[in-house]
Amino acid sequence: MRTFVIALAMAAFASSASAQQIRGVPPLTPQAPPQAAPITAEQQRTIDRLQAAALQSDRAWDIVEDLVTTVGPRMAGSEAEARAREWGVRTMREQRFTNIRIQPFTLPYWHALRQEASVVSPAPQSMVVAALGGSPSTPPGGVEAEVVRFADMSGLENASRERVQGRIVFIDERMYRTTDGSGYGAAVPKRARCAVVAQSLGAVACMIRSVGTDPHRFAHQGGASRQAEGTSLPAVAISPADADLLERLLSRGPTRVRINIEADIRENAPSGNVIAEIRGRERPNEIVLLVAHLDSWDMGQGALDDGAGIAIITAAARLIRDLPRRPRRTIRIVYAGAEENGLHGAIAYAREHAGDNHIVAAESDFGAGRIYRLRTRFADSALPYARAMQRALAPLGVTPGDNEAGGGPDLIPLRQAGVPVVDLAQDGLDYFDYHHTPDDTLDKIDPEALRQNVAAYATWAYLAADTDWVFRAPAE
Amino acid sequence: MRTFVIALAMAAFASSASAQQIRGVPPLTPQAPPQAAPITAEQQRTIDRLQAAALQSDRAWDIVEDLVTTVGPRMAGSEAEARAREWGVRTMREQRFTNIRIQPFTLPYWHALRQEASVVSPAPQSMVVAALGGSPSTPPGGVEAEVVRFADMSGLENASRERVQGRIVFIDERMYRTTDGSGYGAAVPKRARCAVVAQSLGAVACMIRSVGTDPHRFAHQGGASRQAEGTSLPAVAISPADADLLERLLSRGPTRVRINIEADIRENAPSGNVIAEIRGRERPNEIVLLVAHLDSWDMGQGALDDGAGIAIITAAARLIRDLPRRPRRTIRIVYAGAEENGLHGAIAYAREHAGDNHIVAAESDFGAGRIYRLRTRFADSALPYARAMQRALAPLGVTPGDNEAGGGPDLIPLRQAGVPVVDLAQDGLDYFDYHHTPDDTLDKIDPEALRQNVAAYATWAYLAADTDWVFRAPAE
């Protein structure tokens, strides 16, 4: 039987080869991939041990369960976020990390006290709505106007002032579902730019179909770039069913909508990053950075975004902390504050720690799906280290990715400053079903996938920290 | 090839027969099922034609689309329900039904202007909540108390007054998913009885895990039997994620919750049934009754509950209306008002039409899933007619059911008065995911399943109306 199978496979290969020759294509001579840097036998034993321990432990589950149960949602700059920092310090102490501290900073606070929209005519119907982060209040009682619909942002960008003036702009663009979340990048400009462009054309408010992939009656919250551009137009996201309703009403005739927002806006609200370390045994000033963010939007529990990330990096670091011998380099764990409404924690961290020797950084901020790929952003000379990392992660079902890692939102300032980053890329096929909605709750986390995440982070962080590998190009 | 298949089948039969003999079991001699009453060749041609037409038409979709788009949710006794009646009259005219009229009645109106609940301590978190129909208002600002949890209603019923007094009762019972909706019958007593029993034990409010099967952050609305029993305890349903949260908090220690309800309660609000007919050509006083209900809860659009039912019976009747020759009996179409909060329309109809000769009745009020079974509630002597109906429905994938049909909520008064009923039973596996939530929206209806429903209703109603069959036992 075995001989038969081998013969079949060889026949298939021969047939494929001859097909290429028939078409005149020369046989492929692919560029050899870089060799993997060597992992020592002791390191491999440690990796095996970390993976086995991670796959048997529900510590990450317990951490995110505790965060969403005892703190709940934690809007940037709020009293709840302050409680989350206290929780963070307590949690880091329980893990026996060292050098635990809060790095305080302030940010412009925004919170919706009221967020309502309804169809006024042809007949009243209320809609499910979320004010977009940073939206100003409407006048008391709301703004009411006829709706003008655009299938996408470019429709609005190319619209005449006559069509838009005095109206409520509705961008009906849909987001598509992808494993890697690339649909988000394509869909989010309407959230960021709708109010800016609508205001420049004389609109009275902006309304978008929620940036999300679910079919449920939830509006998806999210930030917008208005404030930076001096825009003052009220802006909301509506649920998919309400976007469908508007589309059907507009196909019948003129449709008027009322939007009513009351926003609590304050300057200089307190926030902070919570920071701790596992000090390196040989090279304590060389830092392997693990980041997740502590704040969340307030309609959901912030379980997937980003309680899961907090839990994953914490449980992974704790496994490393418990090794008989700590890694050579320092592992620094950062719970970033105030990510959702403008990366304020990331910016504050990068400013204060610009002089630190960050060897490499990773952020967990894409829910709790299984990690399926390791992408890097290393100097070419460091690609053998990427291969070694990918090889170490292979037993967890992680496949090699390219060298174009983004690193996660809170790593943008460091990446721009040249710090090498990686993406332990999670399967995000359903992430945008829940993202920034009331439905981001604990029950959406799969405990088994969470364990696999911890195993991958522990493996990767240990390996990065227990070497003298460098990932950035040497200074010229 | 054919011979081979027949031989195989015979071998299987022989082997099965000998297996029985080996075990000493005598060959089965089952009781013969009742023979099917004959369907004439002309009737069969008409049935084939109705089914073909129904499966090609999106009229039902257009009807429910129009209802939820131009009217939207339509709470019993509200201005929106009045608009729905106008819509009903207009729709019945468009179908060219005759004898179109509104049967007015009044009901005690209830509507929640405010429905909020939140965890107060150990730390504040808001919950997703729906006031239960008929709940009184809380004092302004709400009621706040420690929560006492019971896994199910019997836990509360067996509780001591000491445990409950001064507290908010929380019934954490789950509902299970079934195709026939039987999980609803098992779960709904907690909704109906929680406030009654909790008040008798001195509680200050009642809170239940929503009666539903979905994992999403929706509370399920629904009526309760409080008013009839003179109960005055505020009562709410909370989403599954919030029920989980309470369970986790209570496992840690004492948990306080605040419930804040403002209810608009009025006596003698106007409602009505919308009624029309297709007059029978030979026996106009014999009535085959098709019912669905026009009102809905107000968080969703009332698409599945019961816009789909309205659309199904209307489109089915219209197909019969368009036949070259009308059936012998009258088909009466009733859009019942005010079903959700107490079957007020059904009771009004039964009172006014007690003297009518209702031959048989069916209600569509279980969403828009495919019909998979025909159940009847006929006199034994009429079972051959049940078999004939089941045979006529077989090409639509409908299988025979038992003779224990319920007939639907709006048929309860008629059924109790002896009117034969049937269940054209829909697949309800996901019905309670959406039932009474904001998520009951048009996009949850599958157009293909809707067409099959219309085909089945048209077939059944035509056959019941084009015969002189009687389904109830003759008077003794």
Side-chain angles (χ1 to χ4, degrees):
Chain A
M1 191 63 181
R2 191 169 198 178
T3 315
F4 176 67
V5 170
I6 292 170
L8 258 183
M10 289 182 66
F13 178 78
S15 130
S16 148
S18 53
Q20 281 188 355
Q21 281 159 7
I22 286 165
R23 290 194 207 104
V25 179
L28 288 171
T29 51
Q31 203 181 343
Q35 282 201 308
I39 294 174
T40 69
E42 192 201 327
Q43 284 172 338
Q44 188 59 54
R45 277 193 301 275
T46 303
I47 288 167
D48 293 345
R49 181 176 177 161
L50 287 169
Q51 292 184 358
L55 295 176
Q56 284 170 32
S57 165
D58 279 324
R59 182 178 288 123
W61 176 271
D62 294 341
I63 290 169
V64 62
E65 189 267 355
D66 197 58
L67 175 60
V68 303
T69 304
T70 66
V71 179
R74 40 208 182 273
M75 194 83 158
S78 68
E79 172 276 337
E81 200 201 18
R83 279 191 283 117
R85 286 193 292 282
E86 290 167 24
W87 174 94
V89 168
R90 204 163 58 240
T91 300
M92 285 176 164
R93 275 199 200 116
E94 282 165 13
Q95 309 308 324
R96 289 177 281 159
F97 299 154
T98 54
N99 200 11
I100 299 168
R101 69 238 186 236
I102 291 176
Q103 178 200 352
F105 57 87
T106 62
L107 80 157
Y109 178 73
W110 177 92
H111 171 65
L113 301 169
R114 178 194 298 273
Q115 42 197 337
E116 296 167 353
S118 56
V119 176
V120 175
S121 70
Q125 282 205 46
S126 65
M127 300 196 284
V128 171
V129 66
L132 290 180
S135 172
S137 300
T138 56
V143 291
E144 184 193 314
E146 203 171 292
V147 173
V148 55
R149 173 183 177 272
F150 298 97
D152 54 29
M153 260 311 285
S154 68
L156 174 62
E157 279 159 350
N158 296 320
S160 67
R161 194 172 179 88
E162 291 66 42
R163 244 187 112 199
V164 173
Q165 177 106 42
R167 296 192 166 178
I168 293 174
V169 160
F170 169 42
I171 307 287
D172 199 14
E173 191 172 322
R174 285 159 200 269
M175 173 176 165
Y176 296 98
R177 188 183 289 282
T178 57
T179 297
D180 65 359
S182 54
Y184 189 60
V188 91
K190 73 173 175 186
R191 191 179 77 201
R193 303 268 313 149
C194 176
V196 179
V197 180
Q199 181 164 14
S200 74
L201 293 170
V204 300
C206 173
M207 190 160 56
I208 63 170
R209 179 186 281 269
S210 281
V211 175
T213 51
D214 61 298
H216 298 298
R217 194 86 179 275
F218 297 115
H220 293 242
Q221 299 182 285
S225 61
R226 255 179 333 285
Q227 291 165 314
E229 309 191 45
T231 306
S232 57
L233 210 63
V236 299
I238 60 175
S239 86
D242 293 289
D244 293 348
L245 173 69
L246 276 186
E247 188 180 359
R248 298 195 305 267
L249 283 169
L250 288 163
S251 76
R252 284 167 164 83
T255 304
R256 291 181 73 80
V257 160
R258 175 177 293 276
I259 296 175
N260 194 358
I261 299 174
E262 187 183 348
D264 179 7
I265 297 176
R266 285 179 245 164
E267 297 307 312
N268 300 318
S271 184
N273 299 317
V274 187
I275 304 174
E277 285 168 1
I278 303 170
R279 191 175 162 82
R281 71 173 197 272
E282 288 179 9
R283 297 165 174 257
N285 294 328
E286 294 185 4
I287 294 161
V288 172
L289 191 68
L290 298 181
V291 182
H293 68 84
L294 198 52
D295 66 309
S296 75
W297 290 103
D298 60 346
M299 284 180 162
Q301 294 174 344
L304 291 167
D305 186 12
D306 185 24
I310 293 284
I312 290 162
I313 64 167
T314 306
R318 169 62 184 269
L319 286 173
I320 295 171
R321 164 67 186 73
D322 287 350
L323 291 174
R325 199 165 71 138
R326 300 210 206 136
R328 301 166 75 187
R329 288 167 166 159
T330 290
I331 293 175
R332 181 178 290 168
I333 303 103
V334 176
Y335 298 168
E339 185 268 347
E340 293 291 5
N341 224 334
L343 306 181
H344 301 282
I347 293 165
Y349 177 86
R351 191 180 301 127
E352 183 169 314
H353 293 276
D356 292 1
N357 185 7
H358 291 105
I359 297 296
V360 64
E363 176 167 25
S364 176
D365 182 20
F366 199 57
R370 286 179 69 86
I371 293 172
Y372 70 102
R373 193 167 66 177
L374 177 72
R375 305 173 78 199
T376 54
R377 182 182 289 259
F378 290 175
D380 287 350
S381 58
L383 288 181
Y385 305 135
R387 296 292 162 272
M389 289 169 171
Q390 287 158 347
R391 188 170 289 183
L393 291 167
L396 300 170
V398 180
T399 57
D402 62 21
N403 199 37
E404 303 290 329
D410 286 301
L411 296 182
I412 292 173
L414 292 180
R415 190 189 74 207
Q416 288 174 341
V419 174
V421 297
V422 304
D423 293 341
L424 288 147
Q426 292 166 298
D427 183 331
L429 203 62
D430 67 357
Y431 181 59
F432 292 102
D433 289 357
Y434 308 116
H435 181 252
H436 297 185
T437 73
D439 211 20
D440 177 0
T441 54
L442 184 65
D443 52 297
K444 308 309 182 305
I445 297 177
D446 170 9
E448 191 177 326
L450 198 66
R451 290 184 212 113
Q452 187 257 12
N453 271 266
V454 174
Y457 267 86
T459 300
W460 176 82
Y462 164 76
L463 194 53
D466 199 54
T467 62
D468 54 10
W469 300 348
V470 289
F471 307 106
R472 64 171 103 192
E476 286 176 17
Chain B
M1 190 67 183
R2 192 167 195 177
T3 316
F4 175 70
V5 170
I6 292 170
L8 256 182
M10 289 180 67
F13 179 78
S15 130
S16 149
S18 52
Q20 282 189 353
Q21 282 158 6
I22 285 164
R23 290 194 208 104
V25 179
L28 289 171
T29 53
Q31 199 182 345
Q35 281 201 307
I39 295 175
T40 68
E42 193 203 327
Q43 283 171 338
Q44 188 58 55
R45 275 194 302 275
T46 303
I47 288 167
D48 294 345
R49 183 176 177 161
L50 286 168
Q51 292 183 358
L55 295 177
Q56 285 169 32
S57 166
D58 279 324
R59 183 177 289 122
W61 176 270
D62 294 340
I63 291 169
V64 62
E65 189 269 355
D66 197 57
L67 175 60
V68 304
T69 304
T70 66
V71 179
R74 40 208 182 272
M75 194 82 158
S78 68
E79 172 275 338
E81 201 200 16
R83 278 191 282 118
R85 285 194 293 283
E86 290 167 26
W87 174 92
V89 168
R90 203 165 56 240
T91 299
M92 286 176 162
R93 275 199 200 117
E94 282 166 12
Q95 310 308 324
R96 287 177 282 159
F97 299 153
T98 54
N99 201 10
I100 299 167
R101 67 238 186 238
I102 292 175
Q103 179 199 353
F105 58 86
T106 61
L107 79 157
Y109 178 73
W110 177 92
H111 171 66
L113 301 169
R114 178 194 297 275
Q115 41 197 336
E116 296 167 351
S118 56
V119 176
V120 174
S121 69
Q125 282 206 46
S126 64
M127 299 197 284
V128 171
V129 66
L132 291 180
S135 172
S137 300
T138 57
V143 292
E144 184 192 313
E146 202 172 294
V147 174
V148 56
R149 174 183 175 274
F150 298 97
D152 54 29
M153 260 311 286
S154 69
L156 173 62
E157 278 157 352
N158 296 321
S160 67
R161 194 172 178 87
E162 291 66 40
R163 243 188 113 198
V164 173
Q165 177 105 41
R167 296 194 166 176
I168 293 174
V169 160
F170 169 43
I171 308 287
D172 199 14
E173 192 173 320
R174 284 159 201 268
M175 172 175 168
Y176 295 99
R177 187 184 291 281
T178 58
T179 297
D180 65 359
S182 54
Y184 189 60
V188 91
K190 73 172 175 184
R191 192 180 75 202
R193 304 267 312 148
C194 177
V196 179
V197 180
Q199 182 165 14
S200 74
L201 293 170
V204 299
C206 174
M207 189 160 56
I208 63 169
R209 179 185 281 268
S210 281
V211 175
T213 51
D214 62 297
H216 297 297
R217 193 85 178 277
F218 297 115
H220 292 243
Q221 299 182 286
S225 61
R226 254 176 338 282
Q227 290 165 315
E229 309 191 46
T231 306
S232 58
L233 209 63
V236 297
I238 59 175
S239 86
D242 293 290
D244 293 347
L245 173 69
L246 276 185
E247 188 181 0
R248 298 195 306 267
L249 283 168
L250 288 162
S251 76
R252 284 167 165 83
T255 304
R256 292 181 72 80
V257 159
R258 173 177 295 276
I259 295 175
N260 194 357
I261 299 174
E262 187 183 347
D264 179 7
I265 296 176
R266 286 177 243 163
E267 296 308 311
N268 301 317
S271 185
N273 299 318
V274 187
I275 305 175
E277 287 168 0
I278 301 168
R279 189 174 163 83
R281 72 172 195 272
E282 288 179 9
R283 298 164 173 258
N285 294 329
E286 294 185 6
I287 293 159
V288 173
L289 191 68
L290 298 181
V291 183
H293 68 84
L294 198 52
D295 66 307
S296 74
W297 291 101
D298 60 345
M299 284 180 161
Q301 294 174 343
L304 291 166
D305 186 11
D306 185 24
I310 294 285
I312 289 162
I313 64 168
T314 306
R318 168 63 184 267
L319 287 172
I320 296 172
R321 164 69 187 72
D322 286 350
L323 290 174
R325 200 164 72 135
R326 301 213 203 135
R328 301 166 74 186
R329 289 166 165 159
T330 290
I331 293 174
R332 182 178 288 169
I333 303 102
V334 176
Y335 298 169
E339 186 269 348
E340 292 292 5
N341 222 335
L343 306 181
H344 301 282
I347 293 163
Y349 177 87
R351 192 180 299 127
E352 183 169 314
H353 293 276
D356 292 2
N357 185 5
H358 291 105
I359 298 296
V360 63
E363 176 168 25
S364 176
D365 181 22
F366 199 57
R370 286 180 68 88
I371 293 172
Y372 71 101
R373 193 167 66 178
L374 178 71
R375 305 173 78 199
T376 54
R377 183 182 287 258
F378 290 175
D380 287 350
S381 58
L383 288 181
Y385 305 136
R387 294 293 162 271
M389 288 168 172
Q390 287 158 347
R391 189 170 289 183
L393 291 167
L396 300 170
V398 180
T399 58
D402 62 21
N403 198 36
E404 305 289 329
D410 286 301
L411 296 181
I412 292 173
L414 293 180
R415 190 189 75 207
Q416 288 174 343
V419 174
V421 297
V422 303
D423 294 341
L424 288 148
Q426 292 165 299
D427 183 330
L429 203 62
D430 67 356
Y431 181 60
F432 292 102
D433 289 358
Y434 308 116
H435 181 252
H436 297 185
T437 72
D439 211 19
D440 177 1
T441 53
L442 184 64
D443 53 297
K444 308 309 182 306
I445 297 178
D446 171 9
E448 191 177 324
L450 198 66
R451 289 184 213 115
Q452 188 257 11
N453 272 265
V454 174
Y457 268 86
T459 299
W460 175 82
Y462 164 76
L463 194 53
D466 198 53
T467 62
D468 54 9
W469 301 348
V470 289
F471 308 107
R472 63 171 103 192
E476 285 175 19

